[in-house]
Amino acid sequence: MKVLVIGGGAREHALCRSLSQDPAVTELHCAPGNAGIARVATLHPVDQLDGAAVTALAQELGADLVVVGPEAPLVAGVADPLRAAGIPVFGPSAAAAQLEGSKAFAKDVMAGAGVPTARSYVCTTEQEAAEALDAFGAPYVVKDDGLAAGKGVVVTEDRAAALEHAKGCERVVIEEYLDGPEVSLFAITDGTTVLPLVPAQDFKRALDGDQGPNTGGMGAYTPLPWAPEGLVEEVLETVLQPTVDELRRRGTPFSGLLYAGLALTSRGTRVVEFNARFGDPETQVVLARLRTPLAGVLLAAANGTLGELEALRWDEGAAVTVVMASEGYPANPRTGDPIEGLDEAEADGTAFVLHAGTRSGADGEVLTAGGRVLSVTATGADLAEARAKAYAGLSKISFKGAQHRTDIAARAAQ
Ligand code: AMP
């Protein structure tokens, strides 16, 4: 099988790593990729938002499967021309990707499907926003309706700040505050059958103790020893399957990865958000535990034959990933610094390094090229072991101004 992966972050590196370990995969390509992905796949400098260019590349390569990683190309509709050209593609259509592309659309689908989520108002004027804020009271939750790379949501006790964020957006969703721990649950679907993966938790804030600004994610772990028994079955029944059924009923079937961001509140499980793709950094740990070869699963989703697949097999142990970010992330990430110690981090096989914002320099050195730079990942018999191994790997790596959290999975590992 020849596989083409679209994207260039640590999520795509994790996907490429798993695909490269699948004996069914004979050729692996990635566009645009990064310096780490270049070790396992052939890179192509194609604009990932350009559906025609991606389709032309897939045709030229004779790809048997195209996997679209990030939300931006999915929401831009890159999967559509691929499907129209008869190429199996893992990732939803532009219409179905609106589940992530528009918070208001997601709320409408959830209402139609009876999926439990925060009560909300969609507002387009300052007056409406002010009334919605007062209807719910503090803490205030204000979400930009469109894609905002993790920066569109403000949760604050400060009414003025909440209103200020609302004013800066064309259309906002204002909703009730959900208390309780968050869980990310991914499911692979072909539009009918839904196959949940193992739950994971990520760390959105930049600093230890969940302080500092929201980021794309600073680390993740799986499994969740504290999660209630039967959580996956409950979410499959009350969230994932009804959402997939509702989108099919609307004539916009969702095929690809449905990501449910959940809050386990005092009043029950609620959806915080849906994403239309694998989450980063949770993918790094979820795939680290998946034993079933990945390509066949993604192809079955693309071809609508997921129902014929055997149950997924999982590593019984744990996985932890810790993100190394550049100085100034998330506001003003500094780039272009050489990264030292990458081989040393992997030398004894305890950890593996997934690249996010990296590129190869003129002399073959690896340079920082983004806010989140690396995802240092390890597996172990339990969370404590996986965590120790991930941090041991990370300690070998350095670049100017590097920052990371020191408390990823710390509480869960105790
Ligand atoms: P989202 O982009 O919708 O996932 O929001 C980003 C983050 O904001 C979430 O991971 C939560 O930590 C927080 N958040 C979003 N919605 C709510 C809510 N209704 N109540 C509390 N926190 C929220």
Side-chain angles (χ1 to χ4, degrees):
M1 200 195 294
K2 294 184 191 174
V3 184
L4 169 62
V5 175
I6 304 303
R11 161 188 47 222
E12 287 75 31
H13 194 179
L15 287 163
C16 283
R17 178 176 184 270
S18 292
L19 289 167
S20 73
Q21 292 171 346
D22 182 338
V25 176
T26 51
E27 268 183 43
L28 186 57
H29 299 269
C30 187
N34 61 37
I37 297 174
R39 295 184 176 192
V40 292
T42 307
L43 302 193
H44 302 272
V46 164
D47 177 2
Q48 53 178 322
L49 297 180
D50 183 341
V54 169
T55 305
L57 174 64
Q59 282 169 329
E60 184 191 314
L61 296 172
D64 302 296
L65 173 67
V66 178
V67 180
V68 184
E71 61 274 25
L74 288 167
V75 172
V78 165
D80 296 325
L82 286 163
R83 274 204 186 89
I87 301 165
V89 47
F90 184 82
S93 66
Q98 279 303 299
L99 201 57
E100 173 163 5
S102 164
K103 305 260 186 207
F105 177 78
K107 285 290 184 189
D108 191 54
V109 169
M110 284 189 264
V115 168
T117 185
R119 289 178 298 127
S120 64
Y121 294 105
V122 179
C123 309
T124 52
T125 67
E126 189 181 342
Q127 172 76 17
E128 283 173 4
E131 283 169 15
L133 291 174
D134 295 334
F136 293 126
Y140 303 102
V141 181
V142 183
K143 302 185 173 188
D144 191 343
D145 182 45
L147 269 194
K151 290 168 198 155
V153 178
V154 163
V155 181
T156 177
E157 295 280 344
D158 180 349
R159 187 179 180 282
L163 196 57
E164 199 53 38
H165 183 58
K167 277 201 283 186
C169 311
E170 236 170 72
R171 193 154 88 129
V172 290
V173 173
I174 292 179
E175 63 181 33
E176 72 181 318
Y177 178 79
L178 299 174
D179 61 350
E182 287 184 39
V183 172
S184 303
L185 184 61
F186 300 169
I188 290 177
T189 177
D190 57 9
T192 303
T193 301
V194 182
L195 218 58
L197 307 186
V198 291
Q201 189 175 49
D202 76 343
F203 293 76
K204 284 235 160 63
R205 301 294 190 125
L207 307 175
D208 282 3
D210 294 328
Q211 301 298 307
N214 260 328
T215 70
M218 296 299 287
Y221 67 94
T222 175
L224 313 180
W226 48 267
E229 210 167 312
L231 177 68
V232 173
E233 292 72 19
E234 179 207 332
V235 175
L236 175 61
E237 216 171 282
T238 61
V239 173
L240 299 167
Q241 190 70 56
T243 300
V244 166
D245 292 345
E246 172 71 12
L247 284 163
R248 194 179 59 249
R249 197 184 62 72
R250 291 181 180 217
T252 52
F254 186 104
S255 127
L257 193 293
L258 176 59
Y259 166 138
L262 305 159
L264 309 190
T265 78
S266 47
R267 287 179 294 142
T269 306
R270 300 278 186 275
V271 173
V272 175
E273 61 160 347
F274 281 127
N275 292 322
R277 37 77 195 177
F278 280 99
D280 187 343
E282 299 97 311
T283 301
Q284 288 87 304
V285 290
V286 169
L287 292 185
R289 288 183 56 209
L290 180 65
R291 286 238 188 101
T292 306
L294 182 62
V297 182
L298 302 185
L299 186 65
N303 286 339
T305 56
L306 215 49
E308 296 161 25
L309 216 64
E310 284 177 28
L312 297 177
R313 286 176 288 115
W314 297 96
D315 197 337
E316 285 302 315
V320 172
T321 194
V322 184
V323 169
M324 290 184 85
S326 50
E327 186 179 317
Y329 178 74
N332 288 305
R334 168 195 162 95
T335 60
D337 295 307
I339 305 171
E340 312 285 344
L342 287 168
D343 291 335
E344 290 79 353
E346 293 187 327
D348 51 7
T350 47
F352 56 95
V353 182
L354 299 169
H355 291 224
T358 71
R359 63 182 176 87
S360 302
D363 305 320
E365 76 277 35
V366 178
L367 303 173
T368 64
R372 290 189 295 173
V373 178
L374 304 167
S375 238
V376 187
T377 312
T379 55
D382 56 21
L383 284 172
E385 186 187 331
R387 180 179 139 74
K389 285 160 78 176
Y391 277 105
L394 182 144
S395 72
K396 312 263 174 60
I397 304 173
S398 59
F399 55 89
K400 193 163 185 304
Q403 51 161 327
H404 68 271
R405 279 182 64 157
T406 67
D407 62 348
I408 303 302
R411 217 146 32 107
Q414 277 170 7

